[in-house]
Amino acid sequence: MAAGTKTTSRLEERFRLWDNDGSGAIERSDFENEADGIIEGLGVQGTPQAQQLKQAYLAMFDHLAGAVGASRLDQAQFLQAAEREIISRGDDGFAQVVGPTIQAIVNVLDRDNDGEVDSSEMAKWFAAIGLDGAVAAEAFRQMDTDGTGRLSVSELVAAVRDYHLGKNDIPLLGR
C-alpha cells in the first residue's frame, strides 16, 4: 500500500512536529524531548510507566532510523522509513511500530488499571499534547468505535492508523 497524498501530508506534519528544534532532521533526542514533555504534562515523572513511555518513543525512533540505516532522519528518510515500516505493512506495521507507544500511553493514563482509558483519562493525554478540551472530547467520541466509553489499545492504534491513511480526520497530532 503506497502512501497517498493525504498520508504523505500527515507524515510530513508528524515530521515537522518531531523536528522540534527546526534542524530539518529528527533525532533520537527529538523523540526523547516529546516523551519528556508529555510525561511532565501528565505529572508522572519518575514513575515506571513514564520510563516505559520514554523507552517506547525511543524504540520507535530506533526502529525507523534503523530501517534506513541512519542515526538521524531528514524528511525524505522519515517518509521512506514510515512508508516501508508502517504504512505499506498496514495493520501489522502499525501494531509493531506504533502499538508499543500506544500501549505505553495507555499504561500511563490508565489509573484504574483496567487496560483501557476513559474520557477523563484520555483528556489528560489530549491536554498534554496541546489539544483543546472540546476538540479532545469530540476526538474521544470518534475513537470510541464500540461505544463503551472506554478506549482499548486496539481502538487507539486503529485511530492512529486510519488518521495516517486518511480514513479519519480525528486530530491526533497536537502541538
Side-chain angles (χ1 to χ4, degrees):
M1 154 185 349
T5 303
K6 197 172 216 180
T7 297
T8 300
S9 174
R10 290 184 173 177
L11 289 172
E12 289 169 347
E13 177 65 8
R14 179 70 263 178
F15 176 87
R16 186 189 66 72
L17 291 170
W18 270 329
D19 181 21
N20 57 43
D21 63 3
S23 68
I26 53 177
E27 302 168 272
R28 202 166 196 264
S29 62
D30 291 316
F31 279 60
E32 185 171 29
N33 289 338
E34 180 169 321
D36 286 341
I38 291 165
I39 289 164
E40 184 177 324
L42 293 171
V44 295
Q45 302 92 319
T47 65
Q49 294 87 351
Q51 186 61 30
Q52 180 191 26
L53 179 62
K54 190 175 205 172
Q55 290 307 312
Y57 264 85
L58 294 175
M60 184 169 34
F61 174 81
D62 292 344
H63 185 98
L64 293 171
V68 294
S71 60
R72 61 193 309 262
L73 300 167
D74 64 24
Q75 185 172 316
Q77 290 169 314
F78 172 73
L79 293 174
Q80 177 187 4
E83 167 63 26
R84 182 172 45 205
E85 297 299 310
I86 303 171
I87 303 299
S88 70
R89 294 182 54 225
D91 289 350
D92 290 341
F94 280 91
Q96 181 184 5
V97 181
V98 179
T101 303
I102 300 293
Q103 180 65 64
I105 291 165
V106 169
N107 292 347
V108 167
L109 298 173
D110 182 19
R111 295 297 176 211
D112 59 5
N113 296 314
D114 66 354
E116 297 181 318
V117 291
D118 62 29
S119 60
S120 66
E121 291 167 333
M122 197 66 185
K124 292 176 179 142
W125 172 260
F126 288 138
I129 65 169
L131 287 181
D132 171 82
V135 172
E138 177 59 19
F140 183 90
R141 187 194 66 70
Q142 290 181 44
M143 284 189 281
D144 185 16
T145 57
D146 62 6
T148 63
R150 308 190 69 66
L151 298 175
S152 66
V153 171
S154 61
E155 282 177 298
L156 289 164
V157 171
V160 170
R161 178 201 62 220
D162 289 351
Y163 175 81
H164 283 92
L165 296 179
K167 293 179 181 179
N168 75 40
D169 293 320
I170 299 169
L172 299 173
L173 296 180
R175 296 193 211 280

